[in-house]
Structures are given as C-alpha cells and as structure tokens.
Amino acid sequence: RNLILAYDQTGDQKYLDESKAWLTQSLGSRGPTSKWDQYWMYGLASEPLMELYRKTGDAKFAQIAVDCCDSLINSYWREEKGSVQDLNGFTLICYGHAYELTGDEKYLRKGVSALTATSKEHAGSTKTFAQGFRISPYFLHYLTQGYQPPKAVIGKSNATK
C-alpha cells in the first residue's frame, strides 16, 4: 500500500508499476483454494488490491481480491462460529470488497456474520477489541442504507462455504 501512496504523492509511475508487479507476484498465483498461513492477513492484502483496481481499472486485481476472500472462506470459515477465528475485524473488508466486485450478497452476509461475532467475542478486552475493530468501519460502508454494489466486475464466486 505504501507504494500506491508514494505514487499518489509523487505521480511517479514507477511506484504504481512496482506495486502491480509485487502484488501480482506475491498474491496473483494463490487463487481461491490456497490457504494462507495467517488468516488475518487476508484483510490487509485486500486493501491494496482494491486500491490498485480502483486506480488502474485492471480487473486482474479485482479478481485477486475476490480470490483472496474466497480463500479466506474456503480455508478458515467456521459455520458454528459464523466467522473465521479471533480478530475477525481484520478480515471484514475482504467480504465488503468481494460484495462490491461481484454483487453476490453471500459476501455481505458473511461480513455481517463476522461483524456480529467480532462484537460479541471482544467485549471486555480493550486490546483485543481495538485489534478486532481495526477494519470494521470500512466494512460498515457496505451496510449503509441504499448501498448497491456497482456493476459486477467479477461474475463468479469460488467460495464453497
């Protein structure tokens, strides 16, 4: 994300090009079924992917963002919990981005479920509560009255849960 910020501040194309190369190399081949070693990283990865898609209009980065969310769901979603593991707040933005890019309400429902789990599991613990809600406000954008995702960029979900 810092490379994208450097591009915004300087206008130097090399920063945007390096950002595209790095994200393509490190995330592009992972796909919707590969499991990452730390589930909370999905949310942190989704942010620059979506920002790069919005800046460039390159649907490749939109697809990687949706694959990121599908991988999170396929690898870590626990139906009995209605979310992934602890620190759900870090992953919330994935669901919002996937919803925006596909229009598939399954992602919105998963995000709401994870938000609910986050608010319940972190009561009484200031540190955990703050960590869990780091990205929560960004997801709330998708719950505002009248929000409708724009025309779908990615047409198919690969989430199996």
Side-chain angles (χ1 to χ4, degrees):
R1 187 160 187 264
N2 288 335
L3 290 169
I4 298 169
L5 292 173
Y7 169 74
D8 287 344
Q9 293 172 358
T10 67
D12 191 333
Q13 185 67 33
K14 73 179 179 185
Y15 295 115
L16 194 61
D17 292 343
E18 185 60 30
S19 178
K20 290 192 278 189
W22 187 86
L23 286 168
T24 299
Q25 179 183 356
S26 53
L27 300 177
S29 64
R30 292 186 181 231
T33 57
S34 65
K35 183 177 182 177
W36 300 11
D37 60 339
Q38 297 179 354
Y39 68 91
W40 52 270
M41 292 297 290
Y42 288 92
L44 300 179
S46 186
E47 290 178 279
L49 287 166
M50 193 65 173
E51 192 169 346
L52 196 54
Y53 163 69
R54 288 177 177 148
K55 279 204 184 320
T56 66
D58 188 339
K60 169 176 73 174
F61 297 104
Q63 182 64 64
I64 297 171
V66 172
D67 286 349
C68 174
C69 186
D70 289 341
S71 176
L72 173 66
I73 293 168
N74 292 337
S75 301
Y76 289 104
W77 189 265
R78 294 168 42 193
E79 289 298 333
E80 73 280 0
K81 189 171 184 173
S83 65
V84 289
Q85 300 176 20
D86 296 331
L87 301 177
N88 287 297
F90 282 107
T91 66
L92 284 172
I93 198 64
C94 287
Y95 308 111
H97 288 159
Y99 174 54
E100 180 177 333
L101 293 167
T102 66
D104 187 338
E105 290 196 9
K106 166 179 55 181
Y107 295 114
L108 185 62
R109 288 189 302 273
K110 294 276 190 197
V112 169
S113 182
L115 180 63
T116 301
T118 299
S119 63
K120 289 178 182 176
E121 74 188 359
H122 297 305
S125 170
T126 305
K127 178 183 176 191
T128 313
F129 181 84
Q131 289 174 334
F133 278 87
R134 177 200 176 271
I135 298 177
S136 301
Y138 301 109
F139 175 73
L140 295 177
H141 161 76
Y142 298 101
L143 300 178
T144 57
Q145 185 175 7
Y147 175 83
Q148 292 293 316
K151 181 180 176 193
V153 177
I154 308 299
K156 181 177 180 261
S157 166
N158 290 302
T160 58
K161 296 181 185 178

